[in-house]
Amino acid sequence: MNFLAHIYLSGNNDELKIGNFIADGIVGNKYKHLPITVQKGIQLHRKIDSFTDTHPIVRKSKKRLHPRYRHYDGVIIDILYDHYLAKNWLVYSDIELNAYAQQFYTLLTDNHEILPEKIKKLLPYMIKGNWLYNYRTIEGIETVLIGMNKRTKNISKMNLAIEDLQLYYTDFEDDFTTFFEDLRNLSSEQTKIILNK
């Protein structure tokens, strides 16, 4: 899953949200200096990723993309699934998406000193482009995919995935909706286990 899903799946715990968000910027176990609940957020992120990578519905989604994008199919699905979460946000949250996004940016800014360097560099662009809010539109997702393609020096061709999103729009949405219920249940269970350790 991509940024928005990881944050959402952390519930209302701010330190868990931070850990879940920064986990991709942490190598191995180089997080022991962080506050304990932030560490638990990193652990939750990794549980979510493992569950997602092996889930049959996610594999079905990836299969539609694999011939064109090969090993980038999973990255693309993470981004596309965040689109459906953002688009259908009020199904999952009582807080309007833009307000939720702004609260999260403030949380990161207030805790800037504990963020990994990779995240510190990313954050100004994320806030300026209001990524979390703009995931809800096709245009917003296209911007993300173009940016990701540039990061791979145009090797991934991820910028073309907007075509696949439009072609399989309902199929991907059905996949997301079914899978996300499983993921919410898994995250809820794992959060209880991790926080009670």
Side-chain angles (χ1 to χ4, degrees), residues 79-80 83 134-135 137-145 162:
I79 293 166
L80 300 189
H83 165 65
N134 286 321
Y135 284 160
T137 66
I138 301 250
E139 295 76 18
I141 288 300
E142 186 172 24
T143 301
V144 173
L145 291 167
I162 203 70

Side-chain angles (χ1 to χ4, degrees), residues 18-178:
I18 293 169
N20 207 337
F21 174 74
I22 68 173
D24 283 335
I26 305 282
V27 179
N29 64 353
K30 294 182 178 173
Y31 56 81
K32 302 297 184 184
H33 61 288
L34 295 169
I36 190 69
T37 309
V38 173
Q39 294 183 38
K40 291 182 176 190
I42 293 166
Q43 293 163 16
L44 177 60
H45 178 108
R46 292 174 178 176
K47 296 274 186 189
I48 289 168
D49 279 359
S50 295
F51 181 78
T52 301
D53 291 343
T54 58
H55 199 285
I57 292 175
V58 176
R59 286 184 172 172
K60 182 170 78 167
S61 287
K62 285 161 67 171
K63 197 171 179 183
R64 290 188 197 102
L65 300 177
H66 190 72
R68 193 176 200 181
Y69 307 101
R70 314 302 292 176
H71 68 274
Y72 293 104
D73 57 4
V75 178
I76 295 167
I77 290 301
D78 285 350
I79 293 166
L80 300 189
Y81 279 12
D82 253 16
H83 165 65
Y84 293 110
L85 175 57
K87 176 195 161 210
N88 299 301
W89 181 255
L90 292 178
V91 172
Y92 302 104
S93 176
D94 295 329
I95 303 168
E96 189 271 328
L97 180 57
N98 195 41
Y100 184 89
Q102 297 305 322
Q103 287 170 13
F104 185 68
Y105 302 146
T106 300
L107 176 66
L108 292 181
T109 304
D110 290 347
N111 290 275
H112 193 263
E113 71 285 352
I114 68 168
L115 303 178
E117 284 307 312
K118 181 179 173 184
I119 303 297
K120 285 179 181 175
K121 287 177 185 170
L122 173 99
L123 187 56
Y125 299 101
M126 185 179 198
I127 294 172
K128 185 178 178 186
N130 199 0
W131 292 359
L132 299 177
Y133 182 62
N134 286 321
Y135 284 160
R136 77 198 193 290
T137 66
I138 301 250
E139 295 76 18
I141 288 300
E142 186 172 24
T143 301
V144 173
L145 291 167
I146 289 168
M148 293 295 286
N149 183 54
K150 283 180 185 168
R151 277 194 230 167
T152 68
K153 299 188 166 98
N154 302 319
I155 293 167
S156 68
K157 307 297 181 201
M158 279 195 260
N159 57 307
L160 302 178
I162 203 70
E163 297 169 8
D164 300 275
L165 173 62
Q166 290 166 322
L167 182 62
Y168 299 111
Y169 196 87
T170 304
D171 297 313
F172 282 132
E173 185 161 22
D174 289 345
D175 288 353
F176 165 77
T177 303
T178 305

Side-chain angles (χ1 to χ4, degrees), residues 1-34:
M1 301 304 291
N2 205 42
F3 294 139
L4 184 60
H6 276 291
I7 299 160
Y8 171 79
L9 293 166
S10 302
N12 296 319
N13 188 310
D14 284 348
E15 288 192 333
L16 209 61
K17 282 183 190 174
I18 293 169
N20 207 337
F21 174 74
I22 68 173
D24 283 335
I26 305 282
V27 179
N29 64 353
K30 294 182 178 173
Y31 56 81
K32 302 297 184 184
H33 61 288
L34 295 169

